[in-house]
Amino acid sequence: FSVSRRVARATAFILLQNRALAITRLGTKDPRMSQIVMHGDTVYLSGQVPADFEAPLADQVSSTLAKVDALLDEAGTDKSKRAAASERASRHRASTASTPRHRARRLLSATIYVKSMDHFAEMNGIWNDWIDSENKPARACVEAPMARPGILFEVVCVAAK
């Protein structure tokens, strides 16, 4: 390697190190957690639950996924990754359509908690309508006791910026 090439590599490494060390926290009003933590080009969302714990499962899942969309937007990202032209087209479609599915997104992984696996099929149908089928994240779904009796669905997400 030439000297200039080694210097360029070292400079790029230093820039990457400085960028990766930057941590930003948003939505910190809760004393226990941040709603969003950004580290380098990775966005972590805390567990998201519905606002209405008494709503039926479909409403809980839909409203929670809408919260995920809003938090990812606040962090400057979204569910899947597409070329810039596709993103512009998706934004145009998003402004004229009723669901957020078609917007370009960068979701990397999701961990889903359901109160009962009896809810799995119904939840999956809503998830499938929400997620970009060309940019599916890694995903796990587990049955879990929830923090409050009425919560039927919770999701934790990680996305790229």
Side-chain angles (χ1 to χ4, degrees):
F1 288 96
S2 70
V3 172
S4 63
R5 200 171 199 187
R6 280 185 287 195
V7 169
R9 280 184 161 211
T11 302
F13 178 73
I14 290 168
L15 290 173
L16 285 173
Q17 274 188 321
N18 289 339
R19 186 175 188 186
L21 294 176
I23 298 173
T24 304
R25 300 173 197 284
L26 303 173
T28 59
K29 291 179 184 174
D30 188 304
R32 296 171 299 278
M33 68 184 135
S34 298
Q35 288 293 310
I36 303 166
V37 175
M38 295 180 287
H39 181 249
D41 283 339
T42 306
V43 176
Y44 302 88
L45 300 185
S46 64
Q48 298 302 309
V49 297
D52 181 358
F53 302 157
E54 301 307 316
L57 177 69
D59 292 346
Q60 287 196 24
V61 174
S62 296
S63 68
T64 303
L65 294 176
K67 283 173 63 175
V68 168
D69 276 328
L71 289 168
L72 291 174
D73 285 343
E74 184 178 344
T77 190
D78 41 41
K79 284 187 294 226
S80 65
K81 186 174 185 179
R82 294 185 187 173
S86 293
E87 288 185 33
R88 283 191 297 276
S90 293
R91 279 195 292 270
H92 172 72
R93 285 192 306 272
S95 67
T96 60
S98 60
T99 65
R101 175 182 181 204
H102 38 270
R103 295 191 305 210
R105 299 294 181 192
R106 293 173 177 81
L107 193 61
L108 300 174
S109 70
T111 303
I112 297 170
Y113 302 94
V114 291
K115 187 168 186 172
S116 168
M117 277 299 170
D118 293 340
H119 302 307
F120 184 77
E122 183 179 1
M123 178 279 302
N124 242 7
I126 298 163
W127 176 269
N128 291 345
D129 287 341
W130 177 74
I131 200 68
D132 177 353
S133 63
E134 294 178 21
N135 296 286
K136 298 172 277 204
R139 188 187 104 164
C141 181
V142 296
E143 181 178 85
M146 299 297 189
R148 298 216 170 97
I151 299 174
L152 305 175
F153 176 83
E154 180 172 354
V155 64
V156 177
C157 298
V158 178
K161 255 195 142 181

